[in-house]
Amino acid sequence: MEKLKKAFRMALLKEMSDTKTKKYILNTVIKRLGHFPEYKSPDETVQKCMSHIFEVVDKQLNDSDGYSNREKFLNQKLIKMQVQKGYIKKYIMTAANTYCTAKQVKCNPGRKAIYDKEGNLITKEKKRGPASRVIDGQDKLAWMVSSDSIGLSNISDDLVLETEKLLKEVAPK
C-alpha cells in the first residue's frame, strides 16, 4: 500500500511538472478566475492551485486510516492509477476545475432570479460570495473576522461603539 501511495505522489509530481499540464491549469485559471479582481496574477493563482492539489492528495493519502469510506476511496484511486492510462492527468484536470469552482463561489457577485413572461424560472438566484460582499462594503463586519490582530488588547471604546452601531443596523427587526 505504501508503495502505491508513493507511486501516486511521484506520478502526480511528474504530471504537474509537465508543461502541457501547467498550460492547461493556467488556461483554466485565466478562463474561470481571470475576471475576478482577487486573482489578478494568473501565475500566482496557478501555483496556489497546484500546491492545493498536492495538499489535498497528501491529506487523502495520509488521513485515510480509521474510516472505511476514505479507505475505499483511496483504494479506488490507487487502482485507477494503475489500470487507467492518463488517470493522473484527468485527476489534475478535475482538481484544477474544482479549485476554480470553489474560488468562483467565494467571489461570486450574485444575481437575481430571472423569469420569462409566463413566470417560468429561467435563471436561479445566486447568493453573493463572501469575498464580493467585503469588496463592495456589503459585509461591514467581515474585517473583524478576517483580521489577524483581534484580541482584547486591540479593542478600543470606539471600536466597541462602532461594532454595536453596525450590529443594530443589521439586526432583524
Side-chain angles (χ1 to χ4, degrees):
M1 183 69 118
E2 288 304 317
K3 287 182 180 181
L4 286 176
K5 289 179 181 180
K6 190 173 182 178
F8 190 89
R9 284 188 184 104
M10 294 303 291
L12 185 69
L13 186 61
K14 182 180 177 186
E15 190 63 43
M16 286 284 228
S17 62
D18 183 41
T19 55
K20 287 183 180 180
T21 304
K22 286 182 182 179
K23 194 171 188 176
Y24 174 82
I25 295 172
L26 178 65
N27 290 337
T28 303
V29 164
I30 290 171
K31 180 179 163 187
R32 306 234 359 236
L33 300 175
H35 60 283
F36 292 115
E38 294 85 355
Y39 303 103
K40 292 177 184 169
S41 172
D43 293 327
E44 183 180 319
T45 307
V46 167
Q47 290 302 318
K48 287 180 181 179
C49 177
M50 291 171 65
S51 66
H52 179 74
I53 292 170
F54 282 122
E55 287 172 15
V56 168
V57 167
D58 279 342
K59 187 170 183 159
Q60 289 173 344
L61 295 178
N62 293 333
D63 294 344
S64 64
D65 297 335
Y67 295 99
S68 60
N69 288 342
R70 287 186 191 169
E71 193 69 34
K72 180 180 174 184
F73 180 70
L74 174 64
N75 290 337
Q76 287 175 349
K77 185 184 294 186
L78 295 176
I79 290 169
K80 283 182 183 178
M81 179 195 72
Q82 293 175 318
V83 176
Q84 294 179 1
K85 185 176 181 179
Y87 174 74
I88 298 291
K89 189 172 198 126
K90 289 178 188 175
Y91 181 85
I92 292 170
M93 291 177 180
T94 303
N97 278 307
T98 303
Y99 177 84
C100 290
T101 300
K103 299 306 174 189
Q104 280 179 318
V105 168
K106 180 182 175 192
C107 300
N108 179 14
R111 68 172 182 235
K112 293 183 179 180
I114 300 173
Y115 297 92
D116 63 7
K117 292 177 184 176
E118 290 83 38
N120 298 321
L121 182 67
I122 296 172
T123 307
K124 288 184 177 181
E125 179 180 2
K126 268 193 174 179
K127 292 184 178 181
R128 298 172 60 88
S132 66
R133 291 193 304 264
V134 171
I135 287 173
D136 67 6
Q138 184 183 353
D139 197 355
K140 295 177 182 176
L141 295 177
W143 60 270
M144 292 181 67
V145 177
S146 64
S147 176
D148 293 335
S149 62
I150 293 293
L152 293 176
S153 62
N154 297 324
I155 296 178
S156 66
D157 291 337
D158 294 337
L159 179 63
V160 171
L161 292 173
E162 182 183 338
T163 305
E164 187 179 316
K165 180 181 167 189
L166 287 172
L167 288 173
K168 285 180 182 177
E169 286 177 16
V170 297
K173 295 181 181 183

